[in-house]
Structure formats: C-alpha cells, structure tokens
Amino acid sequence: MPATAASSAPTNNLYPSAITADDSMHWADVVAKELTSTKDEHLISAGISPTGFIHVGSLREAVTAETVRKALADRDADVRMIYLIDSYDPLRRRYEFLPDSFEDEVGRPISDIPCPYGCHDTYAGHFIKPFMDSMDDLGIDCEIFWTHELYRRGEFADAIDASFQRHDRVLEILSTVTGRSMPEGFYPFSPLCSACGRFSNGEVTGYEYPLVSYRCVCGEEGEVDIRKGEGKLSWRLEWPAKWAIFGVTCEPFGKDHAAAGGSYDSGIRLVREVFDAEPPKPIPYEFIQLKGKGQMHKSTGSAVSGVDALRMTPASVFSYTIARVNPERHIDYDSEMGILDMVDEYDRVERMYYESGATDKDEDLVRAYELSQPHGPREDMPMQIPYRHLVNVVQISKDFDDILETLRRTEDLGGISVNELKTLEERVDCVKYWLNAFAPEQVKYSIAEEMPDIGLSDAEAGFLSRLREELQGCDWEGDVIHNTVYETAKEEGLGAKKGFQALYRIFIERRNGPRMGYFLATLDRDFVLRRIAEAASA
RNA sequence: GGGCCCGUAGCUCAGCUAGGUAGAGCAUCUGGCUUUUAACCAGGUGGUCCAGGGUUCGAAUCCCUGCGGGCCCGCCA
C-alpha cells in the first residue's frame, strides 16, 4: 500500500447534492432549474467507449442526457448536447469473442483495428454502428464526435501540453485524490508507437512542444507530435480535458466514476488547476441490472444488448423506463414478463397525459412520459392496442395484414390513420422480437397448421362434436364462445377443465393458453369449426 | 480501507427534503357470466414499513448504530 494514505482519502459529496428536489418536480426539471439558475447557455456531454458489445445499460447515459436536454430546452435555455465516441481507446485485451489473431491488436486504438467480423471499417465502427442507430431511434438530439478524429485534428494538443507543463501539479492532484503514490517516471500520456502501432506502455523520456520522446516496450525509441494525435491522454486527464475543450456544463456518468477518489473527483481539480476551466454539473447514475442475472459486461457480451432493448419495446417506452426513476436509483431490467408490465404502465401514463386524469402523485410519471417522446408528444393520444393482447394476435396471425384482419374481428379499427398504422406496426415488430428472443416459454405457442396427432378420448370427441353444433349458431364473440365452451363441457359431463384442455390441444398443442373464448374469437370462424369437426371425427 | 444505491403487500416500486394512524401497478381472490385458464369492468384480501436505540405529543419519514442485498473505487455506464 502506498504511504500517501487513507487518512487523507477524500470523501466526496456528489450524491447528496446531485439531485435534490426542493419541491415536487421531475428530476430532470430539478437539474434544469439548477443549471439555469446560474446561466442559460449549456452544453451536455455524454459518450461511450465502443470496445465491445454495447448493452442496455449503456443507453442509460444517453437517455439521461437527452432527458436533461429536453428539460433545459423546455425552460428556453440555449442548450446543445454532444456525444463522444471514445474511438481512440486501446483494445485492452483479446476478449473471448475475438479471433486468436486479435492478440496482435491489443494495445492499438480501436479506430485502427479492423472489424473483427469484416463488415465495418474498423473495430470501433462495428460496435458503435448499431448503437448509433439506437440513438436515432431514441431521438437523441446531439452532435457526435469521434475522439480519434479530435486527437488527429490536434484538438487535445493544448491540454496535452498543459499536462506536461504542469506535470508536478498533475502528479500531486492524482496522488492526493486517489490516495496512491504515482509510480516513478509516470506521465498521464501514452505515445502511439510508430513502430508497433500501440499505445506504448514504455517510458516517456522527454517533452518539448510539440514533441514527446518515448521508449516503447517493443524496443522502439522515437518522438510523437501531440498535434497529430500520435498519443493519448490517460482517462483521468482526458475526461477533464474534454470538459475544457468543449465547455461542458453538465454530464451524466456511471457510478464507477462517481466513487470517492474516482475520476470525477480528480477531474474537478485537474480541470481547474491544469486546464483552467470549470467542471460540469455531475449527474451520477446507477447501473441497470438484468433481473435475476446481475451485472453486464462489454467484454463478454450481454444477455440484453442496447439494440435488443429497443427491439422489444418501442423507443419511447424504453426512454420512459429510464426517465421515470431518479438517476441514482438502480433499475432492474426484466426482459421477460416485466416487459409487459412496463408497456402497460406506459400506456396507463399515456392515458393520464392525454386525459388529464393525473393526480399530484402521478405528475412526475406524466412528465417522464412527455420527456420520453423521441420527437415530442403527439397532438392526439395514439391508439392503444395492449401489448398482452398483441402477444396473442401476433402468434395466431401470419403477417401484418393478417394481424390487422385478426384485430378487426374483435375491435373496431375504423379508418385507421397512417400514423396509427406505423405505431401499431412498431409494436407488432417489438412483440415479435420479444417472443422470439426473450419471452418465457409460458406465453409462447403457435397454431397447429394441421390437426395435431393426439389421441382424444371418446368423451372428448363427443364434447367437441356437440360444441361444434353449438358454436355454429352462436355470435362470434369472446364471452359468448367462452360460455358456450364451458356450458357444453359441463353438460357433456366432461367438466370445464378437460373441455378447455381438449381445445388447447387441438389448436396449439398445449394444455393451457390464452382465455379460450377470446382466443377463438380472434381466429377465423370457419377454421375453428373445421378444426373442431376434424378433431371430433378423428 | 473508502464510496453509492437499495431494504415498505407475493413481485416491481411511490411515499422520505415541509414528521400527523401506510399507497399504486402487476399477481391473487370474488363478482359481472354456476367458468383455473393470459382482452374487459367492478370490488376485496393482503404490510412487525430490515432491526435496535434516540429526538418528538406523534417517526416508514429526521439522527445514531447495526444487519442484509446490489454495485463501484488505476478506461467496464
């Protein structure tokens, strides 16, 4: 243990002051209010290091930032948002999913490493592309920067120069804040070795603007030009350097950076004492956890990627699940049945938004809804077809047209507008994706195309035969059908339970399923009658 | 060693930063319909508010101390 001591280890006070509601307000409005209390011009920054698979959690930062941006815009502040892709970060090690040959790429910037799957320009590009599409879906309004371009354009040159000029101060800050002593000859700058193409873990041997001389672990000795991006600042310096370069006034970041003695703490001092600028207002946020599965990692890929999250619910629903809770609270993301609850709540709050039935209690939720609309709320309330219902409809229909037809059997879609059609189609796609990849087996089934080869007892066949007659004449409505099934099963002496089961077996080859009457009502009547007849005579 | 979040109904959480005898959604149960079945409506059941102390006329709420869970702290959001 370094001697510098735990006794001086700082305690930070990030959280208590971070988001404090002085009255009942949505957290983003509280942040916006605080920000505008000093000035009206703001720059929100967020970013990501695309060194591997990007999971749901990574979206929290972007959504949090966007939510604050909207809240600021609603207060007529002059606000912009930037999103930095840390494309100049080195590959730290050869992850499991990478081919053996990538052993060679370790230490090189991910902007220089080829796409491991051969489908994008670079390694960074491969992992960031789908994420950028997600950002589009979420309607995140920001300007995107790639750090490797910033470095190569020399944007970091002044900051790098300052970190050399004030090297002693830098070391003092780092050792004080982290409570660790800095290793001999430590410089928070890694030259990009001209021989091996890696960020040298060797030595910095000298500096005279704009050249840094170095000795790489590969044996190479040389000089790099800080104006040409031939080297990079280490994270603890790079972050405050970005604040200074762009003039960032507000930034959300994960709790890993928020720990006492962590990079935000050192950043505060570095930005003031080395880069002569002020730190942004911090919005530390907790992580998203997968329900029952714990933490996610970029290096291993995750059970739920950011793209997955936006494919199983519409973007607005996802944003809502982020915006509805304070950033410092962790979120349990339940990709199974929880998805249905999530969308149900969203629909409920949507109704409150448009029908103004919200109580004080729900105000924050309604505001979260408003802030979660990628391009602002619509004029009129969108048509709501419950997710749970769609889960059935999707499974019994062939394609989208068929889905519309199925829906028309039980609901009056009237003259559905183009907008509504789009919304519905989006939901349908999400439901399909969810069913395919995340839904528990419990809710999955498919209509047997042909009469399944199951042995029905005489009693069951008799019941079905009689049921067919009864159904032939009845109104084709859920409750009517359901009652008919029940009554018939009882009258035939089979009992309700066995009667229902027989039907489940001949239609979906299971012993349970959606509520029978309503389920049959969504199916084509002739098909139902034909199948029952077939089963009865088999 | 340090930091953060959480612990309230079976589950997910509000309520805590103006202390005043516990709320929502989902689940469950009942009724609508003599119905185990996953759309709908109405109603009901359901809680030692983690524990112990303190402040107070009064504490889920404020303070202290523990316990339990999750996570972070030399580039994992």
Side-chain angles (χ1 to χ4, degrees), chain A residues 416-435:
Chain A
I416 187 171
S417 72
V418 178
N419 241 347
E420 302 286 27
L421 263 183
K422 251 182 78 180
T423 307
L424 179 59
E425 205 164 1
E426 185 185 25
R427 282 205 168 192
V428 164
D429 287 343
C430 289
V431 167
K432 281 183 181 165
Y433 191 83
W434 178 74
L435 279 168

Side-chain angles (χ1 to χ4, degrees), chain A residues 140 159-160 376 384 448:
Chain A
I140 290 171
I160 295 169
Q384 295 186 339

Side-chain angles (χ1 to χ4, degrees), chain A residues 245-537:
Chain A
I245 292 166
F246 287 97
V248 178
T249 59
C250 176
E251 178 160 347
F253 50 87
K255 60 132 156 240
D256 50 340
H257 298 313
S263 49
Y264 183 75
D265 278 357
S266 55
I268 293 173
R269 287 197 56 195
L270 289 165
V271 74
R272 287 185 176 138
E273 298 171 40
V274 178
F275 303 129
D276 301 320
E278 280 299 302
K281 174 177 178 53
I283 305 177
Y285 60 90
E286 264 284 347
F287 290 174
I288 293 176
Q289 316 214 31
L290 293 185
K291 182 168 178 142
K293 295 187 184 118
Q295 202 64 359
M296 295 176 273
H297 298 278
K298 279 183 188 167
S299 56
T300 52
S302 170
V304 184
S305 72
V307 172
D308 287 333
L310 291 182
R311 282 202 186 160
M312 52 184 145
T313 60
S316 54
V317 175
F318 181 77
S319 287
Y320 173 77
T321 67
I322 305 288
R324 67 187 285 278
V325 288
N326 281 56
E328 72 259 29
R329 260 190 102 96
H330 87 259
I331 294 175
D332 275 324
Y333 189 86
D334 178 1
S335 57
E336 299 195 349
M337 292 308 274
I339 290 291
L340 302 181
D341 293 341
M342 206 186 279
V343 182
D344 274 354
E345 176 176 328
Y346 176 88
D347 285 350
R348 191 170 55 86
V349 175
E350 182 169 76
R351 268 174 258 134
M352 289 194 269
Y353 178 82
Y354 286 97
E355 290 162 5
S356 68
T359 61
D360 289 356
K361 217 179 207 171
D362 297 318
E363 264 175 25
D364 283 357
L365 293 180
V366 172
R367 177 63 171 151
Y369 171 85
E370 189 176 23
L371 290 167
S372 299
Q373 302 309 309
H375 307 289
R378 271 203 228 159
E379 192 107 346
D380 303 307
M381 186 167 93
M383 177 178 70
Q384 295 186 339
I385 304 282
Y387 235 53
R388 285 170 206 276
H389 187 40
L390 280 180
V391 168
N392 286 321
V393 173
V394 161
Q395 294 189 91
I396 64 180
S397 309
K398 291 183 199 67
D399 51 30
F400 190 65
D401 284 340
D402 197 25
I403 284 169
L404 284 178
E405 208 186 309
T406 303
L407 284 172
R408 284 207 169 90
R409 289 192 198 119
T410 53
E411 346 229 341
D412 179 19
L413 296 184
I416 187 171
S417 72
V418 178
N419 241 347
E420 302 286 27
L421 263 183
K422 251 182 78 180
T423 307
L424 179 59
E425 205 164 1
E426 185 185 25
R427 282 205 168 192
V428 164
D429 287 343
C430 289
V431 167
K432 281 183 181 165
Y433 191 83
W434 178 74
L435 279 168
N436 192 42
F438 294 96
E441 291 305 315
Q442 174 71 12
V443 300
K444 297 202 279 195
Y445 63 86
S446 60
I447 302 287
E449 296 272 333
E450 302 289 326
M451 174 64 200
D453 182 20
I454 48 168
L456 288 173
S457 68
D458 289 347
E460 287 166 330
F463 154 69
L464 290 174
S465 170
R466 167 82 192 289
L467 179 65
R468 202 191 83 90
E469 287 168 28
E470 298 291 337
L471 288 180
Q472 213 153 21
C474 80
D475 290 340
W476 204 242
E477 281 168 25
D479 51 352
V480 176
I481 298 172
H482 201 83
N483 283 334
T484 306
V485 171
Y486 173 76
E487 297 291 350
T488 308
K490 209 183 121 190
E491 283 167 20
E492 288 294 303
L494 188 63
K497 183 169 185 158
K498 286 195 169 171
F500 281 109
Q501 283 185 350
L503 287 167
Y504 286 122
R505 288 167 67 201
I506 67 172
F507 283 102
I508 61 175
E509 298 183 76
R510 288 178 43 149
R511 284 175 188 280
N512 54 24
R515 291 190 77 190
M516 186 53 76
Y518 305 89
F519 170 65
L520 293 182
T522 59
L523 293 175
D524 179 69
R525 181 176 193 154
D526 292 337
F527 167 77
V528 171
L529 294 177
R530 210 181 317 127
R531 173 61 52 85
I532 294 176
E534 224 178 315
S537 63

